[in-house]
Amino acid sequence: RGRLLGSGVHEPLRRAVVEACGEPSTIVEAGAGPGWYLAGAAAAHPRAVPLAMNASVPALRRAAAIGLACVVADTWAGLPLRAGCVDALLCVFAPRNAAEFSRVLSGSGRVVVAAPTTAHLAGLRAELGLLDVADGKADRLVGQMGDAGLDRVGNRLVEFEAACTREQLRDLVDMGPNAFHEHAAPRGPRTVVVSVLVSVFARTTRHP
Ligand SMILES: C[S@@+](CC[C@H](N)C(=O)[O-])C[C@H]1O[C@@H](n2cnc3c(N)ncnc32)[C@H](O)[C@@H]1O
């Protein structure tokens, strides 16, 4: 993951995530992995306090190595944060605990979720027999967030083609859910389609 992210393949996605953050004083990324998205948000908002959270210690060691404050936390067990203290809660390709995200969000805060669409890496998935992205994921997300008092106030489809080397193709496959499933080795170089929906959720007057 670190190698693929460092190569810049996902840079347009990171830009969109950072732009969706607004003007936060505190930025938390849940399921931050090596913290690459959070590092981008922190660089764009140097006065903000960034905090990386993840269940995996090795992943957070990488985040700490690039200067991020880190807390080991299982998103499903509850985030070890006071209620109402987070202005921007990022969740990129990671588990989403809508009730917890809502609890820790400040009054004007927002949750930024990046999740793959069915078109994400579709050509590569068809070629290698990889797992599909489930249909209706975006609607389910809106439902889960709505149950937790958060409405979708914006969304942006980030879709672009990326020319990848064979190593990048391998990394793309190995950093997703297919890492633990048997599959053919990708042939390359080739171009892939990155297709990710970046959604922004906030408390609105419907949910005061
Ligand atoms: C697909 S990776 C995404 C990492 C990072 N957001 C990125 O896009 O580079 C999912 C991350 O969520 C973490 N994760 C999985 N289950 C988790 C949980 N219950 N609580 C916190 N983190 C979790 C994994 O360790 C992994 O780092």
Side-chain angles (χ1 to χ4, degrees):
R1 175 171 298 277
R3 187 169 57 206
L4 191 280
L5 294 174
S7 76
V9 168
H10 277 180
E11 194 57 55
L13 174 58
R14 177 158 77 166
R15 265 201 306 277
V17 169
V18 170
E19 282 168 19
C21 284
E23 293 300 326
S25 300
T26 48
I27 316 171
V28 171
E29 184 174 1
W36 187 75
Y37 290 91
L38 181 62
H45 301 286
R47 286 167 185 271
V49 177
L51 180 62
M53 292 195 167
N54 208 86
S56 152
V57 172
L60 285 186
R61 286 220 169 91
R62 288 181 170 272
I66 58 170
L68 293 168
C70 301
V71 174
V72 179
D74 177 347
T75 301
W76 295 124
L79 303 178
L81 293 169
R82 268 192 299 124
C85 69
V86 179
D87 295 323
L89 189 303
L90 313 185
C91 189
V92 182
F93 300 130
R96 301 177 283 268
N97 182 340
E100 259 311 89
F101 291 180
S102 176
R103 184 187 68 78
V104 300
L105 210 61
S106 67
S108 59
R110 49 178 73 185
V111 178
V112 178
V113 176
T117 77
T118 51
H120 186 59
L121 306 181
L124 194 61
R125 281 190 284 110
E127 181 187 308
L128 302 180
L130 306 180
L131 299 173
D132 277 333
V133 176
D135 256 340
K137 233 180 147 168
D139 291 340
R140 271 202 304 284
L141 174 63
V142 170
Q144 289 160 357
M145 291 294 188
D147 290 345
L150 298 173
D151 290 325
R152 189 163 68 183
V153 294
N155 67 0
R156 176 168 164 194
L157 177 63
V158 181
E159 201 164 66
F160 58 92
E161 289 192 347
C164 292
T165 64
R166 192 157 173 215
E167 180 180 68
Q168 288 171 325
L169 295 172
R170 263 201 311 263
D171 289 344
L172 275 171
V173 173
D174 287 346
M175 65 198 256
N178 295 285
F180 304 106
H181 294 83
E182 204 164 306
H183 55 77
R187 288 191 303 272
R190 62 166 289 173
T191 295
V192 298
V193 172
V194 175
S195 177
V196 178
L197 190 64
V198 177
S199 307
V200 180
F201 296 87
R203 214 164 278 116
T204 64
T205 47
R206 207 163 69 83
H207 294 293

Short mmCIF file of all heavy atoms in Angstrom, two decimals, residues 104-146:
data_model
loop_
_atom_site.label_atom_id
_atom_site.label_comp_id
_atom_site.label_asym_id
_atom_site.label_seq_id
_atom_site.Cartn_x
_atom_site.Cartn_y
_atom_site.Cartn_z
N VAL A 104 -18.57 11.60 17.52
CA VAL A 104 -17.35 12.40 17.72
C VAL A 104 -17.33 13.69 16.89
O VAL A 104 -16.48 14.55 17.08
CB VAL A 104 -16.06 11.58 17.42
CG1 VAL A 104 -15.99 10.36 18.32
CG2 VAL A 104 -15.96 11.18 15.95
N LEU A 105 -18.31 13.83 15.99
CA LEU A 105 -18.30 14.97 15.07
C LEU A 105 -18.73 16.26 15.79
O LEU A 105 -19.68 16.26 16.56
CB LEU A 105 -19.28 14.67 13.93
CG LEU A 105 -18.95 15.29 12.58
CD1 LEU A 105 -17.61 14.81 12.07
CD2 LEU A 105 -20.06 14.97 11.57
N SER A 106 -18.02 17.37 15.50
CA SER A 106 -18.42 18.67 16.05
C SER A 106 -19.68 19.14 15.32
O SER A 106 -20.05 18.60 14.27
CB SER A 106 -17.28 19.68 15.87
OG SER A 106 -17.09 19.95 14.50
N GLY A 107 -20.31 20.17 15.85
CA GLY A 107 -21.57 20.65 15.30
C GLY A 107 -21.48 20.98 13.82
O GLY A 107 -22.39 20.68 13.04
N SER A 108 -20.38 21.60 13.42
CA SER A 108 -20.22 21.97 12.01
C SER A 108 -19.32 20.99 11.26
O SER A 108 -18.89 21.26 10.14
CB SER A 108 -19.62 23.38 11.91
OG SER A 108 -18.37 23.37 12.58
N GLY A 109 -19.05 19.84 11.93
CA GLY A 109 -18.10 18.90 11.34
C GLY A 109 -18.68 18.10 10.19
O GLY A 109 -19.88 18.13 9.91
N ARG A 110 -17.80 17.37 9.52
CA ARG A 110 -18.23 16.53 8.39
C ARG A 110 -17.46 15.21 8.37
O ARG A 110 -16.31 15.15 8.80
CB ARG A 110 -18.04 17.27 7.07
CG ARG A 110 -16.66 17.88 6.94
CD ARG A 110 -16.46 18.57 5.62
NE ARG A 110 -17.18 19.83 5.52
CZ ARG A 110 -17.23 20.56 4.43
NH1 ARG A 110 -16.60 20.15 3.34
NH2 ARG A 110 -17.88 21.70 4.38
N VAL A 111 -18.14 14.22 7.86
CA VAL A 111 -17.50 12.93 7.64
C VAL A 111 -17.25 12.80 6.14
O VAL A 111 -18.16 13.03 5.34
CB VAL A 111 -18.41 11.77 8.12
CG1 VAL A 111 -17.74 10.43 7.84
CG2 VAL A 111 -18.73 11.91 9.60
N VAL A 112 -16.03 12.48 5.77
CA VAL A 112 -15.69 12.31 4.35
C VAL A 112 -15.38 10.83 4.12
O VAL A 112 -14.45 10.28 4.71
CB VAL A 112 -14.45 13.16 3.98
CG1 VAL A 112 -14.06 12.94 2.52
CG2 VAL A 112 -14.71 14.64 4.26
N VAL A 113 -16.22 10.20 3.31
CA VAL A 113 -16.06 8.76 3.06
C VAL A 113 -15.67 8.56 1.59
O VAL A 113 -16.34 9.08 0.69
CB VAL A 113 -17.38 8.01 3.33
CG1 VAL A 113 -17.24 6.53 2.97
CG2 VAL A 113 -17.79 8.16 4.80
N ALA A 114 -14.61 7.82 1.35
CA ALA A 114 -14.25 7.44 -0.02
C ALA A 114 -14.45 5.93 -0.17
O ALA A 114 -13.89 5.15 0.61
CB ALA A 114 -12.80 7.82 -0.32
N ALA A 115 -15.27 5.54 -1.13
CA ALA A 115 -15.58 4.11 -1.32
C ALA A 115 -15.60 3.80 -2.81
O ALA A 115 -16.08 4.62 -3.62
CB ALA A 115 -16.92 3.79 -0.68
N PRO A 116 -15.12 2.62 -3.19
CA PRO A 116 -15.05 2.27 -4.61
C PRO A 116 -16.45 2.08 -5.21
O PRO A 116 -17.36 1.62 -4.52
CB PRO A 116 -14.29 0.95 -4.62
CG PRO A 116 -14.51 0.36 -3.25
CD PRO A 116 -14.64 1.54 -2.31
N THR A 117 -16.60 2.43 -6.50
CA THR A 117 -17.84 2.13 -7.22
C THR A 117 -17.64 0.78 -7.94
O THR A 117 -16.54 0.23 -7.96
CB THR A 117 -18.17 3.20 -8.27
OG1 THR A 117 -17.32 3.01 -9.39
CG2 THR A 117 -17.99 4.61 -7.71
N THR A 118 -18.71 0.31 -8.58
CA THR A 118 -18.62 -0.98 -9.28
C THR A 118 -17.64 -0.89 -10.47
O THR A 118 -17.18 -1.92 -10.95
CB THR A 118 -20.00 -1.43 -9.79
OG1 THR A 118 -20.58 -0.35 -10.51
CG2 THR A 118 -20.90 -1.82 -8.64
N ALA A 119 -17.34 0.34 -10.90
CA ALA A 119 -16.42 0.50 -12.04
C ALA A 119 -14.95 0.48 -11.61
O ALA A 119 -14.05 0.42 -12.45
CB ALA A 119 -16.72 1.82 -12.77
N HIS A 120 -14.71 0.50 -10.30
CA HIS A 120 -13.34 0.60 -9.80
C HIS A 120 -12.52 -0.63 -10.19
O HIS A 120 -12.88 -1.76 -9.83
CB HIS A 120 -13.36 0.76 -8.28
CG HIS A 120 -12.02 1.00 -7.67
ND1 HIS A 120 -11.23 2.07 -8.01
CD2 HIS A 120 -11.32 0.31 -6.73
CE1 HIS A 120 -10.11 2.04 -7.32
NE2 HIS A 120 -10.13 0.98 -6.54
N LEU A 121 -11.46 -0.41 -10.94
CA LEU A 121 -10.56 -1.50 -11.38
C LEU A 121 -11.33 -2.61 -12.08
O LEU A 121 -10.91 -3.78 -12.03
CB LEU A 121 -9.77 -2.08 -10.18
CG LEU A 121 -8.99 -1.10 -9.31
CD1 LEU A 121 -8.25 -1.85 -8.20
CD2 LEU A 121 -7.97 -0.30 -10.14
N ALA A 122 -12.46 -2.27 -12.73
CA ALA A 122 -13.36 -3.30 -13.28
C ALA A 122 -12.63 -4.19 -14.30
O ALA A 122 -12.78 -5.41 -14.27
CB ALA A 122 -14.59 -2.66 -13.88
N GLY A 123 -11.86 -3.59 -15.20
CA GLY A 123 -11.15 -4.36 -16.22
C GLY A 123 -10.18 -5.35 -15.60
O GLY A 123 -10.12 -6.53 -15.98
N LEU A 124 -9.46 -4.88 -14.61
CA LEU A 124 -8.47 -5.72 -13.92
C LEU A 124 -9.18 -6.85 -13.17
O LEU A 124 -8.74 -8.01 -13.18
CB LEU A 124 -7.69 -4.84 -12.93
CG LEU A 124 -6.41 -5.39 -12.34
CD1 LEU A 124 -5.39 -5.67 -13.43
CD2 LEU A 124 -5.83 -4.41 -11.32
N ARG A 125 -10.31 -6.52 -12.55
CA ARG A 125 -11.04 -7.54 -11.80
C ARG A 125 -11.59 -8.62 -12.72
O ARG A 125 -11.55 -9.81 -12.41
CB ARG A 125 -12.15 -6.90 -10.96
CG ARG A 125 -11.57 -6.28 -9.70
CD ARG A 125 -12.58 -5.81 -8.68
NE ARG A 125 -13.21 -4.58 -9.06
CZ ARG A 125 -14.47 -4.46 -9.43
NH1 ARG A 125 -15.23 -5.54 -9.48
NH2 ARG A 125 -14.95 -3.30 -9.75
N ALA A 126 -12.10 -8.18 -13.91
CA ALA A 126 -12.63 -9.17 -14.86
C ALA A 126 -11.50 -10.07 -15.35
O ALA A 126 -11.65 -11.29 -15.45
CB ALA A 126 -13.30 -8.44 -16.02
N GLU A 127 -10.36 -9.46 -15.64
CA GLU A 127 -9.22 -10.23 -16.19
C GLU A 127 -8.68 -11.25 -15.19
O GLU A 127 -8.32 -12.37 -15.56
CB GLU A 127 -8.12 -9.23 -16.56
CG GLU A 127 -6.89 -9.84 -17.18
CD GLU A 127 -5.81 -8.78 -17.35
OE1 GLU A 127 -6.09 -7.72 -17.94
OE2 GLU A 127 -4.68 -9.03 -16.87
N LEU A 128 -8.64 -10.87 -13.92
CA LEU A 128 -8.00 -11.74 -12.93
C LEU A 128 -8.99 -12.54 -12.10
O LEU A 128 -8.60 -13.31 -11.23
CB LEU A 128 -7.13 -10.89 -11.98
CG LEU A 128 -6.03 -10.06 -12.65
CD1 LEU A 128 -5.26 -9.27 -11.61
CD2 LEU A 128 -5.08 -10.95 -13.44
N GLY A 129 -10.29 -12.34 -12.35
CA GLY A 129 -11.30 -13.06 -11.56
C GLY A 129 -11.32 -12.60 -10.11
O GLY A 129 -11.48 -13.40 -9.19
N LEU A 130 -11.18 -11.30 -9.90
CA LEU A 130 -11.16 -10.78 -8.53
C LEU A 130 -12.57 -10.53 -8.02
O LEU A 130 -13.53 -10.51 -8.79
CB LEU A 130 -10.37 -9.45 -8.50
CG LEU A 130 -8.97 -9.48 -9.07
CD1 LEU A 130 -8.33 -8.10 -8.96
CD2 LEU A 130 -8.11 -10.51 -8.36
N LEU A 131 -12.70 -10.31 -6.72
CA LEU A 131 -14.00 -10.03 -6.10
C LEU A 131 -14.59 -8.76 -6.69
O LEU A 131 -13.87 -7.80 -6.97
CB LEU A 131 -13.83 -9.82 -4.59
CG LEU A 131 -13.27 -11.00 -3.79
CD1 LEU A 131 -13.01 -10.56 -2.35
CD2 LEU A 131 -14.23 -12.16 -3.82
N ASP A 132 -15.92 -8.76 -6.86
CA ASP A 132 -16.61 -7.56 -7.36
C ASP A 132 -16.92 -6.60 -6.23
O ASP A 132 -17.02 -7.00 -5.07
CB ASP A 132 -17.93 -7.97 -8.02
CG ASP A 132 -17.72 -8.43 -9.46
OD1 ASP A 132 -16.73 -7.97 -10.08
OD2 ASP A 132 -18.51 -9.25 -9.94
N VAL A 133 -17.11 -5.33 -6.58
CA VAL A 133 -17.62 -4.36 -5.61
C VAL A 133 -19.14 -4.52 -5.61
O VAL A 133 -19.77 -4.52 -6.67
CB VAL A 133 -17.23 -2.91 -6.02
CG1 VAL A 133 -17.85 -1.90 -5.06
CG2 VAL A 133 -15.72 -2.76 -6.09
N ALA A 134 -19.73 -4.68 -4.42
CA ALA A 134 -21.18 -4.94 -4.32
C ALA A 134 -21.98 -3.76 -4.86
O ALA A 134 -21.62 -2.60 -4.64
CB ALA A 134 -21.55 -5.21 -2.87
N ASP A 135 -23.06 -4.09 -5.55
CA ASP A 135 -24.01 -3.06 -6.04
C ASP A 135 -24.70 -2.40 -4.86
O ASP A 135 -24.87 -3.02 -3.82
CB ASP A 135 -25.09 -3.75 -6.89
CG ASP A 135 -24.86 -3.53 -8.37
OD1 ASP A 135 -24.14 -2.58 -8.72
OD2 ASP A 135 -25.40 -4.31 -9.17
N GLY A 136 -25.11 -1.15 -5.02
CA GLY A 136 -25.96 -0.50 -4.01
C GLY A 136 -25.21 -0.07 -2.76
O GLY A 136 -25.81 0.28 -1.75
N LYS A 137 -23.86 -0.07 -2.86
CA LYS A 137 -23.05 0.29 -1.69
C LYS A 137 -23.29 1.73 -1.25
O LYS A 137 -23.40 2.02 -0.06
CB LYS A 137 -21.57 0.14 -2.10
CG LYS A 137 -20.76 -0.74 -1.18
CD LYS A 137 -19.33 -0.83 -1.65
CE LYS A 137 -18.43 -0.97 -0.45
NZ LYS A 137 -17.09 -1.33 -0.71
N ALA A 138 -23.40 2.62 -2.24
CA ALA A 138 -23.56 4.04 -1.93
C ALA A 138 -24.89 4.29 -1.21
O ALA A 138 -24.95 5.07 -0.25
CB ALA A 138 -23.47 4.88 -3.21
N ASP A 139 -25.95 3.61 -1.65
CA ASP A 139 -27.25 3.79 -1.01
C ASP A 139 -27.23 3.25 0.42
O ASP A 139 -27.80 3.85 1.33
CB ASP A 139 -28.35 3.06 -1.81
CG ASP A 139 -28.60 3.73 -3.15
OD1 ASP A 139 -28.22 4.91 -3.29
OD2 ASP A 139 -29.14 3.06 -4.05
N ARG A 140 -26.54 2.12 0.59
CA ARG A 140 -26.47 1.55 1.94
C ARG A 140 -25.73 2.51 2.88
O ARG A 140 -26.12 2.71 4.02
CB ARG A 140 -25.76 0.21 1.91
CG ARG A 140 -26.71 -0.96 1.68
CD ARG A 140 -26.12 -2.27 2.16
NE ARG A 140 -24.84 -2.54 1.53
CZ ARG A 140 -24.69 -2.96 0.28
NH1 ARG A 140 -25.75 -3.17 -0.47
NH2 ARG A 140 -23.51 -3.18 -0.23
N LEU A 141 -24.69 3.14 2.35
CA LEU A 141 -23.92 4.09 3.15
C LEU A 141 -24.80 5.26 3.58
O LEU A 141 -24.79 5.66 4.75
CB LEU A 141 -22.72 4.60 2.32
CG LEU A 141 -21.89 5.71 2.95
CD1 LEU A 141 -21.22 5.23 4.24
CD2 LEU A 141 -20.82 6.20 1.96
N VAL A 142 -25.58 5.80 2.64
CA VAL A 142 -26.47 6.92 2.97
C VAL A 142 -27.47 6.49 4.05
O VAL A 142 -27.75 7.24 5.00
CB VAL A 142 -27.20 7.41 1.70
CG1 VAL A 142 -28.31 8.40 2.05
CG2 VAL A 142 -26.22 8.06 0.74
N GLY A 143 -27.98 5.25 3.96
CA GLY A 143 -28.92 4.74 4.96
C GLY A 143 -28.26 4.62 6.33
O GLY A 143 -28.83 5.06 7.34
N GLN A 144 -27.05 4.05 6.36
CA GLN A 144 -26.36 3.88 7.66
C GLN A 144 -26.07 5.23 8.31
O GLN A 144 -26.27 5.42 9.51
CB GLN A 144 -25.03 3.13 7.45
CG GLN A 144 -25.18 1.67 7.10
CD GLN A 144 -23.92 1.10 6.43
OE1 GLN A 144 -22.94 1.80 6.18
NE2 GLN A 144 -23.96 -0.20 6.14
N MET A 145 -25.59 6.16 7.50
CA MET A 145 -25.27 7.49 8.04
C MET A 145 -26.54 8.19 8.49
O MET A 145 -26.57 8.84 9.53
CB MET A 145 -24.54 8.32 6.98
CG MET A 145 -23.15 7.82 6.69
SD MET A 145 -22.06 8.02 8.11
CE MET A 145 -20.51 7.59 7.39
N GLY A 146 -27.60 8.05 7.71
CA GLY A 146 -28.89 8.68 8.06
C GLY A 146 -29.39 8.16 9.40
O GLY A 146 -29.86 8.94 10.24
#
